[in-house]
Amino acid sequence: NIGNAREVSSIHTLREKYSDNLGILLDMYELAAVLSSRRIERNALDCTVFRMNYERNDEGRIIGFSYSPEADSRAMVREIGYFAAQVIGEYMHKNKLPCIYVGQSHIDKTSIDYLSQLVGADCSDKDDGACTAHIADTAKGSEYYDFVCYALRRALPCVSFSDEPIQNIHCGSDKVVSFVRPASRYADLLTQRAIKLCIAAKSNPRNLNINKYRAIMKAACEEANNAERYVYDAVNDYLNRA
């Protein structure tokens, strides 16, 4: 953390280099913490990424492991990215402008059954996306919450793209546009082009050929979903053969 670094630390040089921007960086850090709290209050998952550290004996054998949280800077960038994706998604939806939304609404039935039984969540009348959010919400305040969040993150197989808002359990929202993930380059590009067109049209849908761009978005969603499934299947095939 640049703001809390000691004078003798290796980050001191960076503090000197970016001293003119230190104020805004600290404001961003504080804002990210607020956004994270608000997101989790909306039944979103705890998105903290933990790195596994292995403990080895003198012979080099693994005898245990522990988790350490990600760097504050990565968490800060992610939270602000989520917030931007939601704000723009809500704006596009409110103005009925063509857009690509990203969600993570699919999880295998085995994982859902196990986690719902673990925390006592009744998912009998819910689809996969709603059930996933319900499991995370039910786990809050229990000893299983961290485990459930970690399990859900690992079990979600791939991103889903749609020209209509879909559940995004990481953000606790169904209006999140798709430029927060490197794997979604194609959908990302179409979303940014749509935003550019909207700006050029001064945000007035009547200045756009809505049907034309809606068709483009729908086709782009299909291509992006096919690409996600292809990558997911290829990775699984490699892991199974390994």
Side-chain angles (χ1 to χ4, degrees), residues 168-221:
N168 187 303
I169 64 171
H170 280 98
C171 298
S173 171
D174 64 350
K175 299 178 184 65
V176 179
V177 296
S178 62
F179 53 80
V180 297
R181 210 176 106 103
S184 60
R185 299 280 184 189
Y186 186 54
D188 180 10
L189 180 61
L190 265 294
T191 296
Q192 293 186 37
R193 285 182 178 175
I195 294 172
K196 182 179 179 180
L197 287 169
C198 294
I199 293 174
K202 297 183 179 179
S203 304
N204 188 344
R206 288 177 295 183
N207 294 337
L208 295 172
N209 186 336
I210 294 296
N211 290 332
K212 172 185 175 181
Y213 291 111
R214 195 165 281 146
I216 291 174
M217 293 299 175
K218 187 173 182 179
C221 290

Side-chain angles (χ1 to χ4, degrees), residues 12-181:
H12 177 58
T13 303
L14 291 177
R15 288 187 65 192
E16 291 292 323
K17 182 177 180 180
Y18 297 104
S19 58
D20 292 342
N21 300 312
L22 185 57
I24 192 171
L25 288 173
L26 294 177
D27 288 343
M28 288 174 63
Y29 182 77
E30 184 177 354
L31 173 62
V34 173
L35 294 175
S36 177
S37 298
R38 280 179 39 182
R39 185 172 55 78
I40 293 176
E41 287 175 359
R42 293 196 304 268
N43 294 326
L45 292 185
D46 181 353
C47 292
T48 302
V49 177
F50 291 91
R51 180 177 181 179
M52 186 178 290
N53 302 308
Y54 293 99
E55 300 171 11
R56 300 176 183 272
N57 60 17
D58 294 339
E59 298 176 352
R61 294 181 180 274
I62 297 175
I63 57 175
F65 64 88
S66 61
Y67 290 106
S68 59
E70 66 188 335
D72 289 347
S73 57
R74 289 179 58 112
M76 178 181 74
V77 171
R78 182 187 61 245
E79 291 298 339
I80 292 177
Y82 279 162
F83 177 68
Q86 182 182 346
V87 169
I88 296 176
E90 290 178 348
Y91 177 84
M92 302 286 279
H93 183 70
K94 178 181 179 181
N95 289 277
K96 299 181 180 179
L97 298 168
C99 196
I100 295 178
Y101 300 89
V102 62
Q104 288 163 311
S105 57
H106 176 75
I107 185 172
D108 65 276
K109 189 175 186 303
T110 301
S111 297
I112 283 181
D113 289 345
Y114 174 78
L115 293 173
S116 61
Q117 290 178 18
L118 179 68
V119 300
D122 181 9
C123 293
S124 56
D125 61 341
K126 296 177 174 59
D127 60 27
D128 289 352
C131 185
T132 305
H134 180 55
I135 289 172
D137 186 47
T138 305
K140 285 183 178 179
S142 75
E143 59 183 316
Y144 301 115
Y145 184 62
D146 289 341
F147 171 78
V148 166
C149 289
Y150 180 77
L152 289 175
R153 283 198 305 269
R154 293 295 298 270
L156 288 167
C158 59
V159 169
S160 298
F161 298 95
S162 172
D163 55 348
E164 291 294 332
I166 51 179
Q167 178 69 23
N168 187 303
I169 64 171
H170 280 98
C171 298
S173 171
D174 64 350
K175 299 178 184 65
V176 179
V177 296
S178 62
F179 53 80
V180 297
R181 210 176 106 103

